[in-house]
Amino acid sequence: MYESGEDYLEAILILKNKNDGDVLSVDIANHLGFSKPSVSRAMGILEREGYIEFGIHNRIELTKKGLEKASDIYGRHQLLTKFLVMITGVPEDQAEENACRVEHDIDADVVEGIRKWVEKNS
């Protein structure tokens, strides 16, 4: 999956948690700062790939596959943010911006090593 697809899934999960499960394409566009046509195209791709479904009133629902992927991405994001704050002392918003850039390219074994370090040092 491409980085942009991961960003969309992560945004859906965040918005789902924030909005009591209700997520519309316009919410994603506003959250990510993307155009509505771009979001619409991406949602079509994610639907074809089995990551989302459209429910009542075009609400976007994560499938089991989509929820697993989104949870993994968001978990990496949260872990990397915490790690960067702990080791560098930078503000959380700065650490979060950097975590966003790293979360897509980091190897699973590196993530696991960071997870162990954070657990040991928290």
Side-chain angles (χ1 to χ4, degrees), residues 7-83:
D7 286 339
Y8 281 111
L9 289 174
E10 182 179 26
I12 293 167
L13 180 62
I14 290 168
L15 291 167
K16 179 180 162 133
N17 292 335
K18 180 180 171 185
N19 299 341
D20 295 323
D22 286 340
V23 181
L24 299 169
S25 292
V26 68
D27 300 324
I28 298 166
N30 291 335
H31 180 79
L32 294 174
F34 295 162
S35 71
K36 291 176 193 173
S38 293
V39 172
S40 180
R41 181 179 178 281
M43 293 306 104
I45 293 168
L46 290 174
E47 182 182 32
R48 280 191 302 278
E49 293 179 353
Y51 290 103
I52 66 165
E53 298 173 334
F54 288 95
I56 298 171
H57 304 293
N58 283 327
R59 287 186 168 43
I60 298 166
E61 305 287 340
L62 291 166
T63 62
K64 181 179 178 188
K65 175 182 173 180
L67 180 59
E68 288 174 1
K69 184 71 171 174
S71 296
D72 179 58
I73 296 159
Y74 189 54
R76 278 185 285 167
H77 179 99
Q78 291 177 306
L79 175 68
L80 289 168
T81 299
K82 184 174 183 176
F83 177 69

Side-chain angles (χ1 to χ4, degrees), residues 96-111:
E96 191 167 347
E97 287 177 22
N98 282 270
C100 259
R101 292 192 297 268
V102 173
E103 70 191 11
H104 304 288
D105 295 322
I106 194 166
D107 294 331
D109 56 340
V110 175
V111 171

Side-chain angles (χ1 to χ4, degrees), residues 79-99:
L79 175 68
L80 289 168
T81 299
K82 184 174 183 176
F83 177 69
L84 292 171
V85 168
M86 289 175 72
I87 65 167
T88 67
V90 299
E92 188 170 339
D93 60 335
Q94 183 181 0
E96 191 167 347
E97 287 177 22
N98 282 270

